[in-house]
PDB file of all heavy atoms in Angstrom:
ATOM      1  N   THR A 324      -8.270  17.770  38.372  1.00  0.00           N
ATOM      2  CA  THR A 324      -7.884  18.064  39.758  1.00  0.00           C
ATOM      3  C   THR A 324      -9.103  18.256  40.653  1.00  0.00           C
ATOM      4  O   THR A 324      -9.216  17.641  41.721  1.00  0.00           O
ATOM      5  CB  THR A 324      -7.010  19.330  39.812  1.00  0.00           C
ATOM      6  OG1 THR A 324      -5.841  19.133  39.018  1.00  0.00           O
ATOM      7  CG2 THR A 324      -6.595  19.647  41.240  1.00  0.00           C
ATOM      8  N   LEU A 325     -10.014  19.123  40.250  1.00  0.00           N
ATOM      9  CA  LEU A 325     -11.179  19.414  41.085  1.00  0.00           C
ATOM     10  C   LEU A 325     -12.071  18.189  41.237  1.00  0.00           C
ATOM     11  O   LEU A 325     -12.729  18.023  42.274  1.00  0.00           O
ATOM     12  CB  LEU A 325     -11.970  20.582  40.481  1.00  0.00           C
ATOM     13  CG  LEU A 325     -11.206  21.915  40.401  1.00  0.00           C
ATOM     14  CD1 LEU A 325     -12.091  23.004  39.817  1.00  0.00           C
ATOM     15  CD2 LEU A 325     -10.688  22.335  41.768  1.00  0.00           C
ATOM     16  N   GLY A 326     -12.104  17.334  40.227  1.00  0.00           N
ATOM     17  CA  GLY A 326     -12.875  16.102  40.359  1.00  0.00           C
ATOM     18  C   GLY A 326     -12.221  15.116  41.302  1.00  0.00           C
ATOM     19  O   GLY A 326     -12.885  14.501  42.145  1.00  0.00           O
ATOM     20  N   LEU A 327     -10.881  14.971  41.224  1.00  0.00           N
ATOM     21  CA  LEU A 327     -10.176  14.032  42.091  1.00  0.00           C
ATOM     22  C   LEU A 327     -10.141  14.491  43.542  1.00  0.00           C
ATOM     23  O   LEU A 327     -10.072  13.665  44.453  1.00  0.00           O
ATOM     24  CB  LEU A 327      -8.742  13.835  41.573  1.00  0.00           C
ATOM     25  CG  LEU A 327      -8.610  13.164  40.199  1.00  0.00           C
ATOM     26  CD1 LEU A 327      -7.159  13.121  39.757  1.00  0.00           C
ATOM     27  CD2 LEU A 327      -9.201  11.754  40.226  1.00  0.00           C
ATOM     28  N   LEU A 328     -10.200  15.804  43.771  1.00  0.00           N
ATOM     29  CA  LEU A 328     -10.193  16.310  45.152  1.00  0.00           C
ATOM     30  C   LEU A 328     -11.397  15.819  45.944  1.00  0.00           C
ATOM     31  O   LEU A 328     -11.336  15.688  47.169  1.00  0.00           O
ATOM     32  CB  LEU A 328     -10.168  17.846  45.155  1.00  0.00           C
ATOM     33  CG  LEU A 328      -8.849  18.516  44.780  1.00  0.00           C
ATOM     34  CD1 LEU A 328      -8.996  20.021  44.818  1.00  0.00           C
ATOM     35  CD2 LEU A 328      -7.727  18.071  45.707  1.00  0.00           C
ATOM     36  N   ASN A 329     -12.486  15.541  45.249  1.00  0.00           N
ATOM     37  CA  ASN A 329     -13.685  15.065  45.942  1.00  0.00           C
ATOM     38  C   ASN A 329     -13.479  13.698  46.579  1.00  0.00           C
ATOM     39  O   ASN A 329     -14.199  13.336  47.511  1.00  0.00           O
ATOM     40  CB  ASN A 329     -14.858  15.009  44.955  1.00  0.00           C
ATOM     41  CG  ASN A 329     -15.307  16.384  44.497  1.00  0.00           C
ATOM     42  OD1 ASN A 329     -15.591  17.248  45.313  1.00  0.00           O
ATOM     43  ND2 ASN A 329     -15.341  16.600  43.202  1.00  0.00           N
ATOM     44  N   TYR A 330     -12.502  12.944  46.093  1.00  0.00           N
ATOM     45  CA  TYR A 330     -12.228  11.636  46.692  1.00  0.00           C
ATOM     46  C   TYR A 330     -11.479  11.765  48.021  1.00  0.00           C
ATOM     47  O   TYR A 330     -11.470  10.837  48.815  1.00  0.00           O
ATOM     48  CB  TYR A 330     -11.377  10.786  45.741  1.00  0.00           C
ATOM     49  CG  TYR A 330     -12.116  10.338  44.504  1.00  0.00           C
ATOM     50  CD1 TYR A 330     -11.915  10.956  43.286  1.00  0.00           C
ATOM     51  CD2 TYR A 330     -13.029   9.278  44.561  1.00  0.00           C
ATOM     52  CE1 TYR A 330     -12.587  10.550  42.136  1.00  0.00           C
ATOM     53  CE2 TYR A 330     -13.701   8.862  43.419  1.00  0.00           C
ATOM     54  CZ  TYR A 330     -13.478   9.500  42.220  1.00  0.00           C
ATOM     55  OH  TYR A 330     -14.153   9.088  41.095  1.00  0.00           O
ATOM     56  N   PHE A 331     -10.850  12.928  48.246  1.00  0.00           N
ATOM     57  CA  PHE A 331     -10.034  13.118  49.447  1.00  0.00           C
ATOM     58  C   PHE A 331     -10.653  14.105  50.427  1.00  0.00           C
ATOM     59  O   PHE A 331     -10.024  14.490  51.402  1.00  0.00           O
ATOM     60  CB  PHE A 331      -8.635  13.602  49.053  1.00  0.00           C
ATOM     61  CG  PHE A 331      -7.928  12.684  48.104  1.00  0.00           C
ATOM     62  CD1 PHE A 331      -7.907  12.949  46.736  1.00  0.00           C
ATOM     63  CD2 PHE A 331      -7.302  11.543  48.556  1.00  0.00           C
ATOM     64  CE1 PHE A 331      -7.261  12.104  45.847  1.00  0.00           C
ATOM     65  CE2 PHE A 331      -6.648  10.689  47.675  1.00  0.00           C
ATOM     66  CZ  PHE A 331      -6.635  10.970  46.320  1.00  0.00           C
ATOM     67  N   ASP A 332     -11.884  14.572  50.172  1.00  0.00           N
ATOM     68  CA  ASP A 332     -12.555  15.525  51.046  1.00  0.00           C
ATOM     69  C   ASP A 332     -11.752  16.811  51.215  1.00  0.00           C
ATOM     70  O   ASP A 332     -11.691  17.387  52.305  1.00  0.00           O
ATOM     71  CB  ASP A 332     -12.821  14.909  52.431  1.00  0.00           C
ATOM     72  CG  ASP A 332     -14.282  14.555  52.617  1.00  0.00           C
ATOM     73  OD1 ASP A 332     -15.066  14.909  51.723  1.00  0.00           O
ATOM     74  OD2 ASP A 332     -14.626  13.932  53.629  1.00  0.00           O
ATOM     75  N   LEU A 333     -11.128  17.292  50.165  1.00  0.00           N
ATOM     76  CA  LEU A 333     -10.325  18.507  50.215  1.00  0.00           C
ATOM     77  C   LEU A 333     -10.944  19.645  49.402  1.00  0.00           C
ATOM     78  O   LEU A 333     -10.336  20.694  49.248  1.00  0.00           O
ATOM     79  CB  LEU A 333      -8.912  18.224  49.700  1.00  0.00           C
ATOM     80  CG  LEU A 333      -8.084  17.209  50.489  1.00  0.00           C
ATOM     81  CD1 LEU A 333      -6.766  16.955  49.788  1.00  0.00           C
ATOM     82  CD2 LEU A 333      -7.835  17.697  51.912  1.00  0.00           C
ATOM     83  N   GLN A 334     -12.147  19.437  48.894  1.00  0.00           N
ATOM     84  CA  GLN A 334     -12.732  20.391  47.966  1.00  0.00           C
ATOM     85  C   GLN A 334     -13.179  21.689  48.620  1.00  0.00           C
ATOM     86  O   GLN A 334     -13.415  22.677  47.938  1.00  0.00           O
ATOM     87  CB  GLN A 334     -13.930  19.763  47.223  1.00  0.00           C
ATOM     88  CG  GLN A 334     -15.125  19.445  48.108  1.00  0.00           C
ATOM     89  CD  GLN A 334     -15.038  18.081  48.766  1.00  0.00           C
ATOM     90  OE1 GLN A 334     -13.982  17.467  48.792  1.00  0.00           O
ATOM     91  NE2 GLN A 334     -16.145  17.610  49.303  1.00  0.00           N
ATOM     92  N   ASP A 335     -13.281  21.724  49.966  1.00  0.00           N
ATOM     93  CA  ASP A 335     -13.808  22.918  50.630  1.00  0.00           C
ATOM     94  C   ASP A 335     -12.711  23.816  51.193  1.00  0.00           C
ATOM     95  O   ASP A 335     -12.998  24.740  51.950  1.00  0.00           O
ATOM     96  CB  ASP A 335     -14.762  22.510  51.765  1.00  0.00           C
ATOM     97  CG  ASP A 335     -16.058  21.918  51.239  1.00  0.00           C
ATOM     98  OD1 ASP A 335     -16.483  22.350  50.156  1.00  0.00           O
ATOM     99  OD2 ASP A 335     -16.627  21.029  51.891  1.00  0.00           O
ATOM    100  N   ASN A 336     -11.451  23.568  50.872  1.00  0.00           N
ATOM    101  CA  ASN A 336     -10.388  24.456  51.302  1.00  0.00           C
ATOM    102  C   ASN A 336     -10.626  25.844  50.715  1.00  0.00           C
ATOM    103  O   ASN A 336     -10.945  25.973  49.529  1.00  0.00           O
ATOM    104  CB  ASN A 336      -9.035  23.902  50.845  1.00  0.00           C
ATOM    105  CG  ASN A 336      -7.867  24.667  51.414  1.00  0.00           C
ATOM    106  OD1 ASN A 336      -7.563  25.772  50.981  1.00  0.00           O
ATOM    107  ND2 ASN A 336      -7.213  24.072  52.393  1.00  0.00           N
ATOM    108  N   PRO A 337     -10.484  26.938  51.507  1.00  0.00           N
ATOM    109  CA  PRO A 337     -10.833  28.276  51.002  1.00  0.00           C
ATOM    110  C   PRO A 337     -10.006  28.732  49.807  1.00  0.00           C
ATOM    111  O   PRO A 337     -10.447  29.606  49.054  1.00  0.00           O
ATOM    112  CB  PRO A 337     -10.587  29.179  52.221  1.00  0.00           C
ATOM    113  CG  PRO A 337      -9.722  28.395  53.145  1.00  0.00           C
ATOM    114  CD  PRO A 337     -10.090  26.968  52.917  1.00  0.00           C
ATOM    115  N   PHE A 338      -8.805  28.170  49.608  1.00  0.00           N
ATOM    116  CA  PHE A 338      -7.980  28.572  48.481  1.00  0.00           C
ATOM    117  C   PHE A 338      -8.274  27.767  47.227  1.00  0.00           C
ATOM    118  O   PHE A 338      -7.743  28.060  46.158  1.00  0.00           O
ATOM    119  CB  PHE A 338      -6.491  28.416  48.829  1.00  0.00           C
ATOM    120  CG  PHE A 338      -6.018  29.369  49.883  1.00  0.00           C
ATOM    121  CD1 PHE A 338      -5.631  28.901  51.125  1.00  0.00           C
ATOM    122  CD2 PHE A 338      -5.958  30.722  49.638  1.00  0.00           C
ATOM    123  CE1 PHE A 338      -5.186  29.778  52.109  1.00  0.00           C
ATOM    124  CE2 PHE A 338      -5.528  31.612  50.610  1.00  0.00           C
ATOM    125  CZ  PHE A 338      -5.134  31.136  51.846  1.00  0.00           C
ATOM    126  N   ASN A 339      -9.114  26.732  47.333  1.00  0.00           N
ATOM    127  CA  ASN A 339      -9.333  25.829  46.208  1.00  0.00           C
ATOM    128  C   ASN A 339     -10.290  26.377  45.171  1.00  0.00           C
ATOM    129  O   ASN A 339     -10.387  25.832  44.075  1.00  0.00           O
ATOM    130  CB  ASN A 339      -9.860  24.475  46.700  1.00  0.00           C
ATOM    131  CG  ASN A 339      -8.770  23.629  47.322  1.00  0.00           C
ATOM    132  OD1 ASN A 339      -7.610  24.022  47.357  1.00  0.00           O
ATOM    133  ND2 ASN A 339      -9.140  22.480  47.831  1.00  0.00           N
ATOM    134  N   HIS A 340     -11.032  27.419  45.498  1.00  0.00           N
ATOM    135  CA  HIS A 340     -12.115  27.837  44.616  1.00  0.00           C
ATOM    136  C   HIS A 340     -11.732  28.979  43.682  1.00  0.00           C
ATOM    137  O   HIS A 340     -12.365  29.155  42.655  1.00  0.00           O
ATOM    138  CB  HIS A 340     -13.330  28.236  45.450  1.00  0.00           C
ATOM    139  CG  HIS A 340     -13.804  27.141  46.356  1.00  0.00           C
ATOM    140  ND1 HIS A 340     -14.557  26.090  45.915  1.00  0.00           N
ATOM    141  CD2 HIS A 340     -13.596  26.908  47.672  1.00  0.00           C
ATOM    142  CE1 HIS A 340     -14.817  25.259  46.920  1.00  0.00           C
ATOM    143  NE2 HIS A 340     -14.232  25.736  47.991  1.00  0.00           N
TER     144      HIS A 340
END
Side-chain angles (χ1 to χ4, degrees):
T324 301
L325 298 181
L327 295 176
L328 286 179
N329 292 307
Y330 290 103
F331 303 99
D332 255 353
L333 298 175
Q334 67 273 15
D335 290 328
N336 188 285
F338 293 113
N339 284 358
H340 303 281

